[in-house]
Amino acid sequence: MDAYERITRNAAEVVTEEEVEALAEDPDGKRAYVGYEPSGVLHIGHLLTANKLIDLQEAGFEVVVLLADVHAYLNDKGTFEEIRETAERMKEQFLAYGLDEDATEFRYGSEFENDEDYVLDLHELERETSISRAERAMSEIKSGDTVRVSQAVYPLMQALDIEYLDVDLAIGGMEQRKVHMLARDVLPKAGHDAPTCLHTPLIADLSTGEGKMSSSTGISISMEDSTEDIAEKVNDAFCPPTANPDGDLENPVLQIFEYHVFPRVEDVVVERPDEYGGDLRYERYAALEADLDSGELHPQDAKTALAGYLDDLIAPGRERLRELRD
Ligand code: NAL
């Protein structure tokens, strides 16, 4: 796999392709980052961007993980002390999950976002941005129903962080794309570079295949889940015998195979008793999808295999959480 392929595999969108191609020509020492509002427990959405960070580290990038404590505070996620404490646990779980400790820089937003230079630069972005534009940028991110002034400042700080952390590539889920588009517009107006961005896909709701999975409104899989919890959630998941269900529905079991299992597992094996045809082995996601579509692979067997792989992937983080608690 060449560098461009590794950098962009499983991405929903890159902005722009030309800019990413230029980075892929010499990825060694280039910097990419993801920011996360700290939360105590990682869920499968965090792990999707973490998979991309692992791809980038394999391609030679240095990775910055921003523990966005001030952003979480602005977005009503708790007191500053509570947020700080969850951020430490978040960092430990990322390392347990497989981020390369030597190629990952963990930063707190509050380390630099209160500096005088930063605050003055922020005010400049505030002068360049309409309230309605800032509000629209937050539509997929904000907590609660009312937009507060704090939530309009939020995307401008996210834009400015990209400048202050000196990164070449900004990574985020598709729910971050409007913030990144705002950053691409507004940063150049204040004399900064427009950031290059890569967005990871959103996974459909596990039990219905609709919309996007959300830890706040639906069923998600997290580092706190036991082996039994995972088996039960995956067993109850929506998994029609096709990759292309009717209407706007997706097959979340296949999506998790594609975005979580195949990037981390060399040969995916679906175990079956001999009387049902014996084990199936896949090197590539597309072959598993084709077998589900043709009827060769039964949804129940796919689910059982998926639950086993997800359990393996989260086991180190679950163990780390247990150690931190004891
Ligand atoms: C991501 C978030 C907050 C601040 C950032 C600054 C720079 C780069 C990425 C950042 C968190 C993200 C979320 N908006 O919704 O979790």
Side-chain angles (χ1 to χ4, degrees):
M1 199 179 322
D2 72 12
Y4 182 78
E5 224 178 298
R6 188 173 291 279
I7 292 165
T8 58
R9 74 164 163 180
N10 289 341
E13 166 179 78
V14 294
V15 190
T16 64
E17 272 178 37
E18 292 71 25
E19 292 170 29
V20 175
E21 277 165 11
L23 291 174
E25 275 175 26
D26 184 17
D28 261 333
K30 292 284 189 322
R31 284 160 65 83
Y33 84 96
V34 183
Y36 301 98
E37 290 185 20
S39 70
V41 177
L42 296 192
H43 58 71
I44 196 163
H46 297 114
L47 300 181
L48 216 150
T49 41
N51 289 338
K52 181 48 64 191
L53 297 181
I54 293 171
D55 282 340
L56 291 165
Q57 287 178 334
E58 285 172 0
F61 274 69
E62 286 170 16
V63 159
V64 181
V65 172
L66 178 72
L67 302 167
D69 51 354
V70 176
H71 283 84
Y73 182 67
L74 290 170
N75 202 18
D76 291 328
K77 296 296 168 64
T79 67
F80 216 75
E81 286 66 34
E82 287 163 351
I83 291 165
R84 262 299 172 110
E85 189 177 319
T86 63
E88 278 302 312
R89 293 168 68 207
M90 187 176 221
K91 172 178 162 185
E92 295 293 330
Q93 292 166 80
F94 275 122
L95 292 173
Y97 182 64
L99 286 189
D100 176 357
E101 189 157 12
D102 298 325
T104 310
E105 191 181 310
F106 288 93
R107 299 285 303 273
Y108 281 94
S110 55
E111 283 168 33
F112 59 92
E113 288 161 351
N114 300 315
D115 292 352
E116 188 174 334
D117 286 354
Y118 183 98
V119 173
L120 278 177
D121 279 345
L122 177 61
H123 292 333
E124 188 174 359
L125 299 186
E126 290 163 0
R127 290 195 299 119
E128 294 288 353
T129 309
S130 71
I131 286 279
S132 63
R133 181 77 198 271
E135 178 180 351
R136 267 183 287 138
M138 287 300 283
S139 60
E140 310 292 327
I141 298 178
K142 78 174 163 59
S143 316
D145 293 332
T146 2
V147 201
R148 295 162 204 270
V149 173
S150 53
Q151 290 165 339
V153 172
Y154 180 121
L156 299 177
M157 288 180 59
Q158 187 163 337
L160 199 55
D161 289 352
I162 302 176
E163 171 71 21
Y164 271 70
L165 292 169
D166 193 25
V167 290
D168 303 291
L169 182 62
I171 308 293
M174 279 296 271
E175 79 286 353
Q176 307 295 322
R177 76 180 303 280
K178 289 183 190 167
V179 175
H180 285 164
M181 294 306 147
L182 172 60
R184 282 180 69 90
D185 281 353
V186 75
L187 285 174
K189 291 182 185 158
H192 311 293
D193 290 335
T196 304
C197 308
L198 182 153
H199 301 133
T200 57
L202 302 174
I203 289 183
D205 182 82
L206 195 56
S207 50
T208 64
E210 294 166 345
K212 63 163 183 161
M213 191 189 294
S214 160
S215 55
S216 49
T217 58
I219 290 181
S220 186
I221 290 180
S222 87
M223 288 270 187
E224 263 177 349
D225 286 342
S226 66
T227 302
E228 296 73 33
D229 292 337
I230 292 177
E232 191 177 323
K233 287 178 186 180
V234 175
N235 195 46
D236 291 345
F238 177 66
C239 183
T242 171
N244 297 299
D246 295 340
D248 291 334
L249 298 181
E250 301 282 349
N251 184 324
V253 170
L254 286 183
Q255 289 182 317
I256 298 172
F257 265 116
E258 183 173 17
Y259 302 131
H260 289 278
V261 179
F262 277 89
R264 300 290 307 275
V265 177
E266 203 103 313
D267 274 314
V268 172
V269 178
V270 177
E271 291 180 3
R272 292 191 306 192
D274 284 341
E275 66 260 42
Y276 294 111
D279 293 354
L280 293 165
R281 183 176 298 270
Y282 301 102
E283 280 176 34
R284 291 177 314 112
Y285 164 73
L288 183 146
E289 179 185 306
D291 270 6
L292 188 82
D293 260 330
S294 74
E296 173 67 22
L297 170 61
H298 191 278
Q300 188 56 50
D301 291 326
K303 287 182 180 180
T304 305
L306 181 64
Y309 282 115
L310 276 179
D311 190 49
D312 292 345
L313 286 169
I314 73 153
R318 176 169 57 209
E319 181 57 27
R320 191 74 190 105
L321 275 176
R322 194 175 296 141
E323 288 166 10
L324 292 170
R325 215 171 290 126
D326 295 340

